[in-house]
Amino acid sequence: ALAAAAWIAPIVAAIFAATLAVFVAYRLGGYAGLVAGLGISLPMPLIFVSQLARLDHQVIEGPLMVAIVAATASLVAERDEGFRARSAVMLALAICVALFVQTALLAGAGIAFAILLALAANRSRLLEGAFAYSLAAVVVYAYRRTLPDDYPTSAWFLGTPHVLILAGASAALLFAATPLLVRRSALVRALIASVPAGILLVTLPAVWSALGEGGGFFRGDPWLSTIDEFRPFFDNPVTAWLDALVLAPIAASVVLAIRAWRDDSRGRLALAGCAIAYGVLAVTSRRFVYVAAPLAAVAGAIAFGDLLQLGRRRAAAFVGVLVVLAPALATVVYLPGVRRSAGVQTEA
């Protein structure tokens, strides 16, 4: 069994890279697909978590967040007025699976919530988002009901705080869909809808305590500060240039965001926004790079494909360098220092 388990991480990583490469190639051509596949296969953080004989949930976090972003982008990209329950269920399913694997992916669900609130084209999209988050809250609540009464109320244990936060997101989206807000600008709508729900949530002890614990991901937790992967990027001047190479694909996400904004492509803007947001989180804590790297690779590959189709080969080549060559160079430097002990490695 252990011999078979040793292959889980590399097989999952290979399937993920191949699937995204084929999808992007189908939509934007073979060169864009190649950029997507290499952009996910070559960064050192992703190679590290997909080593043979390494069992770690980090290898699946990227695919799970890509699923959340894909569901979100699909939802905001539609402009018709009809309510599509299927889209909402797909988003709810992606959020639930992600939270059951890693509760810290609640941050990703929060980013997706902000994207929905800002980019939803009409009332139907907001209602779909509200339904998705309420459905996710119901699923997590049902799970919590199966557990003992003394089950920890903590950011690290899926339960009451997560239910309340998901329900709060659903309430905010529902409020944004009311006639009072739905026709206002995205910024005004987002502020008016989210601020009351946010204030109410932080007054609840379970949520406030969980947010305090979750904040340790960024800084201040004495135990987490001793773990290498929770260090911020650019904390060592000697290796700062390598950190810049690892995070270079985030710049390609900015390129996609600019193009998407100009073209009013809400789906692409959602993807770029999520990639940039996770890139900012990764700067504060290396722990987030396992999600930021694949998101940025996909966003960069789409930007590459768009530019190539427009005949802007130099710009496309520059994006390709950011997505593929920059992190590959960092990998060439880092790889000789990677060590793996014998046997199957597991991490919490």
Side-chain angles (χ1 to χ4, degrees):
L2 286 178
W7 289 92
I8 291 177
I11 289 175
V12 168
I15 292 174
F16 177 48
T19 301
L20 282 181
V22 170
F23 175 78
V24 174
Y26 176 76
R27 299 294 296 269
L28 295 170
Y31 289 119
L34 182 62
V35 168
L38 292 176
I40 292 172
S41 303
L42 295 178
M44 187 62 243
L46 302 185
I47 292 175
F48 181 71
V49 297
S50 59
Q51 295 176 85
L52 185 68
R54 184 182 181 88
L55 294 182
D56 192 340
H57 53 66
Q58 292 161 349
V59 74
I60 199 67
E61 289 180 15
L64 291 173
M65 192 58 213
V66 167
I68 291 176
V69 174
T72 304
S74 173
L75 196 152
V76 300
E78 293 293 332
R79 299 173 185 269
D80 62 274
E81 291 291 343
F83 181 88
R84 301 175 305 162
R86 180 180 177 183
S87 298
V89 171
M90 292 302 293
L91 177 57
L93 178 63
I95 291 172
C96 289
V97 174
L99 291 179
F100 276 101
V101 171
Q102 169 58 288
T103 55
L105 287 174
L106 185 65
I111 293 170
F113 158 74
I115 294 291
L116 281 169
L117 202 55
L119 297 183
N122 50 50
R123 185 169 181 267
S124 295
R125 302 292 82 77
L126 290 167
L127 290 175
E128 289 166 7
F131 179 62
Y133 279 84
S134 64
L135 185 58
V138 168
V139 171
V140 177
Y141 175 74
Y143 165 74
R144 175 62 185 89
R145 293 288 294 174
T146 67
L147 302 171
D149 292 338
D150 59 353
Y151 182 77
T153 301
S154 166
W156 307 107
F157 297 87
L158 186 62
T160 302
H162 306 83
V163 172
L164 294 173
I165 291 171
L166 291 170
S170 176
L173 288 165
L174 194 61
F175 184 29
T178 60
L180 175 67
L181 296 180
V182 71
R183 299 192 183 280
R184 293 182 178 271
S185 68
L187 179 60
V188 172
R189 181 176 67 194
L191 288 175
I192 296 178
S194 61
V195 170
I199 292 174
L200 178 62
L201 282 175
V202 297
T203 62
L204 302 175
V207 174
W208 183 251
S209 175
L211 291 176
E213 293 174 345
F217 262 80
F218 303 98
R219 234 167 253 194
D221 188 291
W223 176 62
L224 293 180
S225 64
T226 65
I227 302 174
D228 184 69
E229 71 174 4
F230 285 92
R231 289 169 39 225
F233 274 91
F234 306 109
D235 62 334
N236 186 344
V238 176
T239 60
W241 68 280
L242 287 172
D243 291 343
L245 291 176
V246 171
L247 295 180
I250 303 300
S253 303
V254 176
V255 174
L256 180 64
I258 294 171
R259 290 198 52 77
W261 181 267
R262 290 175 178 173
D263 298 339
D264 194 25
S265 176
R266 294 172 186 252
R268 279 170 162 74
L269 191 57
L271 169 59
C274 288
I276 293 168
Y278 255 100
V280 173
L281 292 178
V283 171
T284 67
S285 173
R286 295 171 187 266
R287 181 65 181 77
F288 292 103
V289 76
Y290 307 117
V291 174
L295 286 177
V298 176
I302 292 175
F304 172 89
D306 286 345
L307 291 168
L308 204 60
Q309 289 184 344
L310 292 172
R312 301 181 60 182
R313 295 186 178 182
R314 291 184 179 180
F318 174 69
V319 170
V321 168
L322 292 174
V323 176
V324 177
L325 293 185
L329 178 58
T331 297
V332 169
V333 177
Y334 275 126
L335 199 56
V338 175
R339 296 289 182 266
R340 178 175 55 82
S341 61
V344 177
Q345 296 185 13
T346 62
E347 290 189 10

